[in-house]
Every structure is written in C-alpha cells, then in structure tokens.
Amino acid sequence: MNLPTHMQAGHHAPFGAEARDGGVNFSVYSAHATRIELCVFDASGTREVRRYDLHGPVLGVFCGFLPGVGPGLVYGFRAHGPYHPEHGHRFNPHKLLLDPYAREIAGQFGWRAEHHGYVLGHPDGARSFDTRDNAAHALKAVVAEMHASHHGSRPQVRLENRVLYEVHVKGFSMRHPEIPEELRGTYAGLAHPAAIAHFKALGVTTLSLLPVHYVIDEPALAERGMKNYWGYNTLGFFCANPRWAKVGSYTRAANEEFRAMTTALHAAGLEVVIDVVYNHTPEGNEYGPTLSFRGLDHATWYRLDQGDKSRCENLTGCGNTLNVAHPVVTQFVLDSLRHWVTDMGVDGFRFDLAPVLGRTAHGFDAAAPFFTALAQDPVLSRVHLIAEPWDAGIDGYQMGRFPGRFM
C-alpha cells in the first residue's frame, strides 16, 4: 500500500469519509479533543500501517484529505484529550474508535477487557486508565463507494389506506416453503416473489421492518453464546445489518442487498418503513466500553447526570442516552435518516423510545430543535414518521404530543 507521508488540509463537510478528487476526505467532530489521529490499516484490517494527524479543530471539526487512496481503505480514529470522568471526559488514545458515519464496517466484534477505557476490576473503577491498545480486535470503518441511488418509483399510499405489517427480516422467511432455502432469513428473501405474493394476499401496503442497522450483542448475551436477534443495540447507523444478508459479515454486500430489496418491493407497490434506535448506543453506562462516540467526545454525544458528570443519564433503560439536543447530534441523526431514504430507499421510520429525540434540559419539548429541523428537511419532511411515544424518563409518556406528521 503506497500511502502519502502527510495529510493535506481537508474539507469540514460532510462528516465521515468521502472519496473525492483523487483521494479521501475525512471529517469528524469533537468539542473537547486536543488532537485526533486517522489510523490506516491493511486490507485485512489487522495491521495498522500509518497514522496521520487531522487538521483542526475549527469550530470543533477535525478534518484532512488523503490523496492517492479511495474506496476500500480501512481506517479508524484515535482521540487525544483529557481523561477526567468527573467532568464527563473519557479520551483514551489507546482505543481505536469507529467512525460514527461509517458506511461500511470491517471486522467481527468480540467483548474484550481492552475495549474499555478504564481497567476492569481496578479499585478506582472507571476513574482508572487503561493503556492497552485494542486496535487488533476493534471494528474498523471502510471507505465506501459513492453511487447513484435508484430504488424505482416509490408507492404513493394514502394514510387512510395504509396497512402496516411489522415484520422481522430473518424470522419472516425462515420457514416459508416457497422461498428458496438459501434466501431464507435475508433481505433477498423478503423481496422474493413468494414473499411479495404473501404480502399482497394479506392486503399489506407497507412493511415495517424491525431494526436493520448494524448492531453488536450485549455482554450478557455474548457470555451465554447468544445473539441479539431483535436488533435494538445499534452501533453502525449508516450500515445494514450483515446478519440478514446472503453473504454474512460483509456490510458492503448487505447494503447492496438491502437496496435491491427496496427496489423490488417498490416495484411491487410496497412501502418500506424501518424501526430505528437513535436513543442509546451499545457503549452503555459509565462502566461500558469505548468503541466510538464515547472516545470521540463523551460529553457531547451523551446526556450526563448534571449532579455527577461521571455518570450517564439513563432515560432508555439501556445505560446511556444520546444527547439529541446538541446540534451536532441532531445533525448526525438527520444525516443518518437521510442516508436511509436517499441511498437505501426506505419510505419512513418508526422511532424507538421517541421522546428522547425531544429531550432538552427541561424535559420533553414538542418544539425541540430536532423536531424543527426534521420538519424543515426537504427529504425527511415527506417520509412516514411513527413515534413509539414513551421513554424511561420522568414524564416519559408523550402520546399525541409529537408535532406535525408523526403517527
């Protein structure tokens, strides 16, 4: 691999990695990091080849342009900054971090002690500092190809005529006798003519898919050799879950198969809504691992207990709560949603624990910045929006209080 010795100044937008102008532009946000490194790996993702300092920060954005490389490049970030849990900061450059905007993800995640920013079992708990490098076993991002999106003409179903069928991609087709065995449990199986005929016979207009984003298994499941079947533990908000693809473990193939599925379903007059989990991440509470968001800027990405910033505010029952009230986190959610509409072909979203999206410093607010931005977005203002109208916080039940076109 022929790599340049230095990184050039890059563009601040868009966030993530963008193949352009004979190279790749990288951009990542951190309000509190002092330095962020881009780490490039060999094609297998096992050997770190070179590190580059990103330029910045400028208004919290670190960026850089790497010439002579392109799609397929395997990379991760290391973020330098204060490790002061009592102030909400948990930077640890010994931990390789997954790009939150990764369109493709390489590697197989396994729970290991060195994925934590602190020393497991240490008397000081999460206030200790772990210097072991986890890069060999960490998930990495892969620079994705830019492509034109073609998902066919989208069905136009009137609200009063819409019939939703909530369905699990894998579970639906595993015992369907008319779907070829090799396609059962996959996106391709969901779009097979036999599946489409079944949906049509039921009078279904809209498939509401249980979570299809890239997930990892919770520690308690992994310890028992079990998998997270339902998918409410998202780490890759721009990637299709490869477990439901014909070629498992490869997110590029999963993304392509998902796009082909939405195109085929649209051609049959069926809409596709997906269940999305923008309320928490698998990094869990203050004792959880440092995989991505926590290492890049824990105090920005997560809501913290204002009486003790070493602790996460848990409005989800899952250990942490995304801080959607922050402008950059709002942008992240909107960018991810837009990606699934324009690049992946979906027609709308069912939001898990939706009140989190409107949580401000003063509780749930139907006029929160996220809802205002969503209503003004030229793409997202026209898709289907369904709210699960409660979370685990105080005044969490908000039935009927979601603004605009929410169902």
Side-chain angles (χ1 to χ4, degrees), residues 22-267:
V24 177
N25 190 79
F26 298 89
S27 178
V28 62
Y29 179 86
S30 180
H32 302 99
T34 57
R35 174 184 168 212
I36 293 183
E37 295 175 292
L38 169 74
C39 302
V40 176
F41 289 78
D42 63 8
S44 69
T46 57
R47 184 172 64 89
E48 189 173 336
V49 179
R50 192 180 291 273
R51 297 187 189 183
Y52 302 91
D53 278 351
L54 293 177
H55 295 260
V58 176
L59 299 178
V61 178
F62 294 80
C63 62
F65 180 79
L66 201 61
V69 298
L73 186 75
V74 181
Y75 72 98
F77 295 125
R78 295 181 189 271
H80 299 254
Y83 189 83
H84 297 312
E86 63 275 15
H87 299 301
H89 303 311
R90 296 175 179 268
F91 293 98
N92 188 333
H94 303 286
K95 310 304 170 184
L96 189 80
L97 306 173
L98 181 69
D99 183 355
Y101 277 80
R103 263 72 172 174
E104 296 177 16
I105 297 174
Q108 293 291 320
F109 183 78
W111 285 97
R112 304 174 66 93
E114 58 265 38
H115 288 319
H116 295 74
Y118 66 98
V119 181
L120 284 175
H122 193 281
D124 292 335
R127 288 178 171 80
S128 62
F129 187 75
D130 191 305
T131 59
R132 288 174 295 179
D133 195 295
N134 73 330
H137 306 286
L139 293 172
K140 286 95 177 175
V142 182
V143 177
E145 296 253 10
M146 302 298 290
H147 63 88
S149 301
H150 300 289
H151 307 288
S153 298
R154 296 177 184 267
Q156 300 294 322
V157 182
R158 294 178 62 86
L159 176 60
E160 60 268 27
N161 297 328
R162 190 172 297 126
V163 179
L164 272 77
Y165 183 24
E166 186 177 63
V167 61
H168 191 287
V169 172
K170 179 179 180 179
F172 166 76
S173 61
M174 286 303 290
R175 294 182 180 272
H176 197 301
E178 297 176 30
I179 294 178
E181 190 170 349
E182 66 273 15
L183 297 185
R184 294 179 188 175
T186 69
Y187 304 116
L190 202 65
H192 187 272
I196 291 173
H198 179 72
F199 300 140
K200 290 290 193 178
L202 291 175
V204 169
T205 67
T206 307
L207 299 185
S208 183
L209 306 184
L210 272 70
V212 295
H213 287 173
Y214 186 103
V215 302
I216 63 174
D217 306 311
E218 292 88 343
L221 292 178
E223 288 173 4
R224 290 180 282 169
M226 302 174 72
K227 298 289 186 182
N228 183 319
Y229 176 77
W230 299 108
Y232 292 91
N233 205 38
T234 304
L235 182 64
F237 291 86
F238 291 78
C239 295
N241 190 341
R243 295 178 183 176
W244 314 145
K246 290 181 292 184
V247 183
S249 80
Y250 296 101
T251 51
R252 180 179 302 176
N255 291 342
E256 292 172 353
E257 188 175 327
F258 189 96
R259 294 185 189 104
M261 177 198 73
T262 55
T263 299
L265 292 171
H266 285 168

Side-chain angles (χ1 to χ4, degrees), residues 100-103 149 151 154 212-213 234 236-239 258 272-279 322 324 328-352 354 357 369-387 405-406:
Y101 277 80
R103 263 72 172 174
S149 301
H151 307 288
R154 296 177 184 267
V212 295
H213 287 173
T234 304
F237 291 86
F238 291 78
C239 295
F258 189 96
V272 180
V273 168
I274 62 173
D275 200 336
V276 289
V277 188
Y278 296 104
N279 57 71
L322 275 178
V324 183
V328 170
V329 184
T330 286
Q331 180 180 343
F332 169 79
V333 177
L334 294 172
D335 287 345
S336 173
L337 293 170
R338 208 176 301 109
H339 167 77
W340 282 90
V341 174
T342 60
D343 290 3
M344 305 296 275
V346 307
D347 303 292
F349 306 94
R350 180 268 189 191
F351 293 91
D352 183 68
L357 301 170
F370 172 79
F371 293 134
T372 300
L374 185 68
Q376 295 173 341
D377 189 284
V379 172
L380 301 176
S381 61
R382 298 186 290 176
V383 303
H384 307 319
L385 305 173
I386 303 170
R405 298 175 56 254
F406 272 92

